[in-house]
Amino acid sequence: MSMSKTKVLIAGAGPTGLTLALWLTRLGVPVRIFDKASAPGETSRALAVQARTLEFHRQIGIVEDVLAAGVRIEQLTVHTPAGIAARLPLADFGRGVSPYPFAFALPQDIHERLLITHLERAGIVVERDTELVAFEDKGDAVVVTLNRDGRTETVSAAYLAGCDGARSAVRHGLNIGFPGGTYEQSFYVADVDGRGDVTRNGMDTVISAYGFAIVMPVRQSGSLRLIGIVPKAHEADESITFETIRADVERDTGVKVHQVNWFSTYRVHHRVAEHFRISRVFLAGDAGHIHSPAGGQGMNTGMGDAVNLAWKLAAVVQGRADQPLLDSYEPERIAFAGKLIDSTDQAFRVATSRSRLVGLFRRYLMPKILRIALGTTAGSRAFFGLISQTRIRYRESPISSGKAGRIEGGDRLPYVAGTRDDNFEPLRSLDWQVHVYGELNAEFRAMLAPAGIPIHAFAWSDMAKAAGLERDGAYLVRPDGHVALASPVQEAASFQRYIAGLAIRPRIAERAPYRISGTMHSLA
């Protein structure tokens, strides 16, 4: 039996585990990541990559590769049996909210391979055919037993992260409950080559009294993703092939299928674990929550868990913050998971109900509501905020404090574009920072200098005002781009108290720069 040590051991090499490994590696934390599968997945149900995930990818320098691999969805076309009910633009419907104001699709298998490539460039290789046998929290470390090809290894890790899916061995090992249920309908998903009245670089939704179907591009090669409800006549079949329901699928989607590249049926679950953490062991992604595919939230939520956990783990492991920082992971992410379950559950039930009344609403009223709601700039931005995850906030978190303008501690830092760059550019440092929008007070700057936290001052603008920021206010921004402390005035004492309360030390050891109007200036 061999023995080894690492700082963070990650079970599961799906999007959540890979994101956690990549962020921790970028932050300088030694990691190991393993998966019981012999290779990355070849197929994928998850397709949507939301703007908030793209913002996280930008922070670690991989967003351009991700964008190059996927497809921008430019339009949502709503079909009913009577014809096209609505055409809704998605190419720029989040303009001003995010640097990525469009809908975007990238199959999970391609996404995973891209993350693996960047992880390997950083010197980390996923350990395949490796299974977690047991683990024990010893108080100062977690001792984990792994098995690979009949050989056993014992690993001592400072922390263990269970990113190992809905049947998580880590969650079972912690004996954490996973309450919830299963929707009654069965669904099909297929990647096909075919022809039909399909919107180029768009998403076609077919709504009728019976339910819905979705058609959208999945790969730049031109194949199509078909998603819908298995016809009621075949729901009880033990085995369902594409040929079994071909006629229904082609009728509902309007696509004449020439070749099936992948086909699967499944039932959808909705569950949230009772805890996301016990001592030195954490849950993230599907290990902690699973929900309906409504709005394309699942994979993105898991990756959001990973980012939230990564920078906190790194700070505590490296002695740059005290334990209370790490204690905020569960309350922040479990609260969001619960809200997400509720919202996607409601949307999913409306979309899939076989009730005649709901079916009539879906067919006749829903397209009109969508057309009216998204026909205005405010409506489009609201819809974008709803699905893009840019409205995730942690106002109730134990590490969120203050308010300045409309922005409170825990909110995502609003996006403000400049003439040369934007206020998200400094977030690439993956470090704590202070933002001021307006005039930077010299005394405030001098009093915060000993903390070593960079200050970025941006000229006041109409965009900053529209985003809800306070002129000359100050915002302490976390490494994940959420505001930790918001103050309407540049009063150093509140920032000093916050920094001291969590024993925060920045990653940058040298004297920090500050930025005004897109130009870097030395504090000296």
Side-chain angles (χ1 to χ4, degrees):
M1 181 183 292
S2 59
M3 300 186 69
S4 57
K5 288 187 177 183
T6 190
K7 288 296 184 183
V8 180
L9 182 63
I10 302 169
T16 300
L18 292 168
T19 299
L20 179 59
L22 198 49
W23 268 70
L24 285 170
T25 301
R26 291 281 197 271
L27 287 162
V29 177
V31 304
R32 285 178 60 182
I33 177 170
F34 67 90
D35 198 290
K36 64 181 180 180
S38 58
E42 297 287 343
T43 57
S44 165
R45 292 178 192 164
L47 196 62
V49 182
Q50 305 296 355
R52 190 68 180 118
T53 301
L54 294 173
E55 291 171 3
F56 290 143
H57 285 343
R58 178 187 180 183
Q59 286 188 251
I60 57 173
I62 68 172
V63 71
E64 295 304 325
D65 287 349
V66 171
L67 292 174
V71 177
R72 299 191 188 200
I73 307 300
E74 298 174 355
Q75 179 175 283
L76 169 62
T77 304
V78 181
H79 302 260
T80 69
I84 293 176
R87 287 189 175 94
L88 309 169
L90 301 179
D92 198 29
F93 73 128
R95 181 162 49 93
V97 179
S98 172
Y100 310 103
F102 43 82
F104 183 72
L106 178 66
Q108 180 178 324
D109 56 324
I110 297 176
H111 205 158
E112 285 183 11
R113 280 172 167 75
L114 195 150
L115 295 172
I116 289 169
T117 296
H118 281 276
L119 200 54
E120 289 177 345
R121 289 175 185 170
I124 305 298
V125 176
V126 175
E127 300 170 35
R128 296 285 175 187
D129 297 308
T130 302
E131 192 167 1
L132 184 147
V133 177
F135 63 89
E136 184 180 359
D137 190 334
K138 296 288 191 178
D140 59 348
V142 184
V143 177
V144 184
T145 303
L146 303 178
N147 184 282
R148 181 177 182 181
D149 297 329
R151 290 174 297 179
T152 300
E153 178 188 6
T154 300
V155 182
S156 177
Y159 296 95
L160 170 64
C163 308
D164 49 345
R167 296 183 175 87
S168 171
V170 174
R171 189 186 66 246
H172 284 294
L174 291 171
N175 198 30
I176 291 176
F178 202 34
T182 306
Y183 295 104
E184 61 179 272
Q185 299 93 340
S186 292
F187 295 82
Y188 68 80
V189 56
D191 286 351
V192 305
D193 296 329
R195 296 180 62 183
D197 185 16
V198 177
T199 307
R200 179 176 173 82
N201 289 340
M203 175 177 169
D204 291 87
T205 301
V206 183
I207 296 176
S208 68
Y210 83 91
F212 77 101
I214 295 173
V215 182
M216 62 190 299
V218 292
R219 302 174 196 274
Q220 293 177 327
S221 60
S223 63
L224 298 171
R225 167 68 55 87
L226 311 179
I227 304 170
I229 302 175
V230 171
K232 193 169 185 177
H234 297 285
E235 270 191 341
D237 294 359
E238 280 191 28
S239 177
I240 302 173
T241 66
F242 182 80
E243 292 305 322
T244 304
I245 60 173
R246 173 189 283 270
D248 297 277
V249 172
E250 292 186 338
R251 180 199 66 221
D252 298 338
T253 63
V255 174
K256 180 66 175 177
V257 176
H258 304 311
Q259 179 176 317
V260 179
N261 302 317
W262 174 58
F263 173 77
S264 180
T265 61
Y266 61 98
R267 286 187 179 273
V268 175
H269 302 265
H270 49 101
R271 301 178 184 277
V272 178
E274 293 173 340
H275 295 285
F276 281 14
R277 176 196 184 186
I278 293 182
S279 188
R280 290 180 172 270
V281 185
F282 296 83
L283 300 179
D286 287 357
H289 49 83
I290 51 176
H291 33 77
S292 89
Q297 302 296 301
M299 179 182 69
N300 295 274
T301 302
M303 297 171 87
D305 292 343
V307 172
N308 189 291
L309 180 58
W311 69 268
K312 294 172 181 178
L313 271 176
V316 173
V317 164
Q318 295 170 342
R320 294 185 289 102
D322 284 347
Q323 277 289 334
L325 178 65
L326 201 50
D327 294 340
S328 69
Y329 169 71
E330 178 177 299
E332 289 187 354
R333 295 308 293 179
I334 204 168
F336 174 65
K339 291 177 182 176
L340 186 63
I341 286 285
D342 292 340
S343 61
T344 58
D345 180 68
Q346 292 171 8
F348 196 66
R349 291 186 186 280
V350 170
T352 62
S353 172
R354 288 197 169 106
S355 158
R356 177 173 174 77
L357 186 61
V358 175
L360 291 172
F361 166 79
R362 200 164 47 217
R363 178 174 177 178
Y364 294 107
L365 292 181
M366 186 185 293
K368 292 180 181 179
I369 293 171
L370 286 172
R371 189 166 60 245
I372 294 170
L374 302 186
T376 65
T377 299
S380 291
R381 286 166 62 104
F383 182 58
F384 178 82
L386 183 67
I387 68 169
S388 66
Q389 300 204 345
T390 56
R391 283 170 54 183
I392 292 176
R393 59 194 190 188
Y394 308 124
R395 290 183 176 180
E396 304 304 317
S397 170
I399 62 168
S400 297
S401 180
K403 180 179 182 180
R406 297 196 305 272
I407 308 305
E408 297 185 29
D411 291 357
R412 163 185 166 272
L413 178 71
Y415 172 66
V416 180
T419 54
R420 294 174 55 187
D421 54 16
D422 59 55
N423 67 328
F424 278 18
E425 184 63 24
L427 300 179
R428 292 177 183 267
S429 69
L430 309 184
D431 207 357
W432 291 88
Q433 54 198 265
V434 173
H435 282 210
V436 171
Y437 296 84
E439 295 296 322
L440 176 60
N441 182 288
E443 182 181 359
F444 177 73
R445 183 187 70 196
M447 291 186 71
L448 281 189
I453 295 178
I455 300 175
H456 299 276
F458 298 88
W460 183 248
S461 67
D462 289 341
M463 284 193 67
K465 181 179 179 180
L469 293 160
E470 179 88 8
R471 185 168 190 166
D472 299 336
Y475 302 86
L476 178 61
V477 183
R478 308 171 359 168
D480 61 353
H482 282 263
V483 174
L485 170 66
S487 172
V489 295
Q490 296 173 43
E491 191 269 313
S494 61
F495 285 76
Q496 292 169 331
R497 285 194 298 271
Y498 186 100
I499 292 165
L502 291 174
I504 294 169
R505 291 195 300 112
R507 297 175 63 225
I508 302 171
E510 64 270 16
R511 299 184 74 187
Y514 69 94
R515 174 180 292 190
I516 298 179
S517 301
T519 304
M520 297 300 294
H521 299 262
S522 170
L523 282 178

